[in-house]
């Protein structure tokens, strides 16, 4: 026991042993903060830490920041500092790591305790402000120390080792839960980035499809100038392709181009067919000359039209 607790040995404890060993005692207080100290105990050490944190708190208060409220849960296993509404554990100070606890005699609202950090192995002084319960909280922590020491003597030290192992496992579980939450957030961020990339790289993104206007029969109005691309009707069916009329004119019923003997070149047909075509052209030219001579001898004025290829 340190000096702060030895001063109050003659005072009767305020709580039953079962309340601290099987449950915990809750208190509400304002948390001024924590700061590193060089020594694990000592009144002067605590006073310097209190002055330092009070000065820092006055600066924050002048900036409009309020002193945060916390909930203290005191048991034979330690002191937990929680957020009152969410019950989130901010600090878990195991009892065997607390080396000093005292209330300020100059300021009845202030009480402190020094705890060794499990990760950095540095001594931290926690300072609290409670208007009515500062001394009572200090006595409750002293009673928790007394009960834990008695239990240690009864179990021969085995119970302390078991609590240390349990505390280590709880710390490991808390670290794994924190790591798991961080990994979940990273996965969520990657999924959001993937969706954003897929949307931005889509070829249809940014292209607005406008449907052409139709008449009362759900048909697109005919326009001989503009090229009509195959589109869908309102009922979802595909319209038939518009035939090329210029191609239809150049082909007959069987899909072949009509025969024109005057436009055929010499290299388009075999020699025997080409010779017959030449004879037909000569016959047509002879008939034309005959008609022309007959027209000169007659009184009627008749000039037949000859195909340009025969001229």
């Amino acid at each position: 026991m340190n000096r702060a607790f030895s001063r109050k040995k003659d005072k009767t404890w305020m709580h039953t042993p079962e309340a601290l060993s099987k449950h915990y005692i809750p208190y509400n207080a304002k948390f001024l903060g924590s700061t590193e100290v060089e020594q694990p105990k000592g009144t002067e050490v605590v006073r310097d830490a209190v002055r330092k944190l009070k000065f820092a708190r006055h600066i924050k208060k002048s900036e409009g920041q309020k002193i945060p409220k916390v909930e203290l849960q005191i048991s034979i296993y330690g002191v937990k500092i929680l957020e009152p509404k969410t019950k989130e554990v901010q600090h878990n100070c195991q009892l065997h790591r607390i080396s000093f606890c005292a209330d300020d005699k100059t300021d009845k609202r202030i009480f402190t305790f020094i705890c060794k950090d499990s990760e950095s192995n540095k001594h931290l002084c926690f300072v609290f402000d409670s208007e009515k319960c500062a001394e009572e909280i200090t006595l409750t922590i002293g009673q928790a120390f007394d009960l834990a020491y008695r239990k240690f003597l009864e179990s021969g030290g085995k119970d302390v080792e078991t609590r240390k192992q349990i505390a280590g496992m709880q710390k490991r579980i808390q670290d794994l839960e924190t790591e798991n939450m961080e990994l979940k957030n990273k996965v969520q961020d990657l999924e959001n980035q993937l969706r954003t990339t897929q949307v931005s790289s889509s070829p249809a993104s940014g292209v607005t499809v406008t449907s052409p206007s139709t008449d009362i029969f759900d048909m697109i109005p005919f326009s001989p100038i503009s090229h009509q691309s195959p589109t869908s009707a309102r009922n979802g069916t595909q319209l038939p392709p518009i035939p090329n009329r210029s191609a239809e004119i150049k082909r007959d019923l069987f899909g072949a181009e009509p025969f024109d003997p005057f436009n055929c070149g010499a290299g388009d047909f075999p020699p025997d067919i080409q010779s017959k075509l030449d004879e037909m052209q000569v016959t047509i030219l002879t008939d034309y000359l005959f008609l022309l001579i007959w027209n000169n001898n007659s009184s009627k004025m008749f000039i037949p039209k000859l195909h340009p290829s025969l001229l």
Side-chain angles (χ1 to χ4, degrees):
M1 282 297 174
N2 54 60
R3 290 186 300 170
F5 294 149
S6 63
R7 290 201 303 260
K8 304 179 177 65
K9 274 187 177 181
D10 55 341
K11 294 188 178 181
T12 306
W13 298 124
M14 303 180 62
H15 307 286
T16 61
E18 290 77 12
L20 286 168
S21 59
K22 296 182 180 180
H23 304 283
Y24 60 85
I25 306 299
Y27 289 100
N28 292 323
K30 294 181 180 180
F31 185 33
L32 273 68
S34 62
T35 182
E36 182 182 353
V37 293
E38 296 180 358
Q39 301 296 328
K41 60 182 179 179
T43 306
E44 293 298 327
V45 175
V46 170
R47 286 176 182 174
D48 293 339
V50 171
R51 283 195 296 266
K52 181 179 178 180
L53 291 176
K54 278 186 175 181
F55 179 75
R57 183 53 58 184
H58 281 306
I59 295 177
K60 293 183 179 180
K61 188 175 181 180
S62 64
E63 296 175 353
Q65 298 184 15
K66 296 182 179 180
I67 302 177
K69 296 180 179 180
V70 295
E71 177 182 335
L72 300 177
Q73 294 181 358
I74 303 173
S75 67
I76 62 173
Y77 302 105
V79 180
K80 288 184 179 181
I81 305 173
L82 300 88
E83 206 283 326
K85 294 182 180 179
T86 62
K87 302 300 180 181
E88 180 183 359
V89 179
Q90 298 178 355
H91 301 278
N92 186 11
C93 302
Q94 301 171 13
L95 201 66
H96 67 276
R97 291 185 176 273
I98 298 177
S99 57
F100 189 83
C101 180
D103 52 324
D104 193 349
K105 296 305 177 183
T106 60
D107 191 347
K108 298 295 184 179
R109 301 180 308 174
I110 301 298
F111 69 95
T112 65
F113 64 82
I114 299 176
C115 179
K116 189 176 183 180
D117 186 64
S118 59
E119 296 181 356
S120 62
N121 287 329
K122 295 180 180 180
H123 296 283
L124 302 177
C125 182
F126 293 83
V127 181
F128 302 89
D129 184 343
S130 179
E131 186 176 357
K132 299 180 180 180
C133 302
E135 184 178 3
E136 180 180 341
I137 294 173
T138 305
L139 286 173
T140 303
I141 297 177
Q143 184 180 359
F145 265 104
D146 183 67
L147 292 174
Y149 183 68
R150 291 180 183 179
K151 195 170 184 180
F152 170 76
L153 295 177
E154 293 173 359
S155 61
K158 296 180 180 180
D159 187 61
V160 176
E161 295 298 329
T162 303
R163 289 204 302 268
K164 288 183 179 180
Q165 294 178 1
I166 294 175
M169 294 177 64
Q170 289 177 348
K171 183 66 170 58
R172 179 59 178 166
I173 292 173
Q174 185 177 0
D175 294 340
L176 291 175
E177 289 179 351
T178 304
E179 184 179 356
N180 186 28
M181 184 61 64
E182 293 177 355
L183 291 175
K184 285 183 179 180
N185 295 334
K186 289 182 180 179
V187 171
Q188 185 66 32
D189 293 339
L190 291 175
E191 290 179 353
N192 295 335
Q193 293 177 4
L194 181 60
R195 293 193 189 97
T196 305
T197 305
Q198 291 177 350
V199 171
S200 60
S201 62
S202 177
S205 62
V207 179
T208 304
V209 180
T210 57
S211 59
S213 59
T214 57
D215 55 13
I216 60 175
F217 300 102
D218 199 15
M219 298 181 65
I220 301 175
F222 173 75
S223 177
I225 300 176
S226 62
H227 176 72
Q228 298 290 339
S229 59
T231 56
S232 300
R234 290 183 181 177
N235 54 8
T237 58
Q238 188 72 21
L239 297 176
I242 300 176
N244 191 349
R245 297 186 178 275
S246 60
E248 292 181 354
I249 296 175
K250 295 181 180 180
R251 296 184 180 275
D252 57 10
L253 182 62
F254 301 97
E257 297 182 0
F259 175 74
D260 188 358
F262 301 104
N263 293 332
C264 298
D268 297 334
F269 300 96
D272 53 343
I273 297 178
Q274 186 64 38
S275 61
K276 292 182 180 181
L277 292 176
D278 295 339
E279 292 177 1
M280 292 175 61
Q281 291 180 359
V282 172
T283 303
I284 294 172
L285 184 59
T286 303
D287 294 340
Y288 175 78
L289 294 175
F290 176 77
L291 292 175
L292 185 61
I293 295 172
W294 178 80
N295 184 38
N296 291 333
N297 296 329
S298 63
S299 59
K300 296 181 179 180
M301 191 63 183
F302 174 76
I303 301 176
K305 293 182 179 181
L306 190 63
H307 197 276
S309 61
L310 299 178
L311 297 178

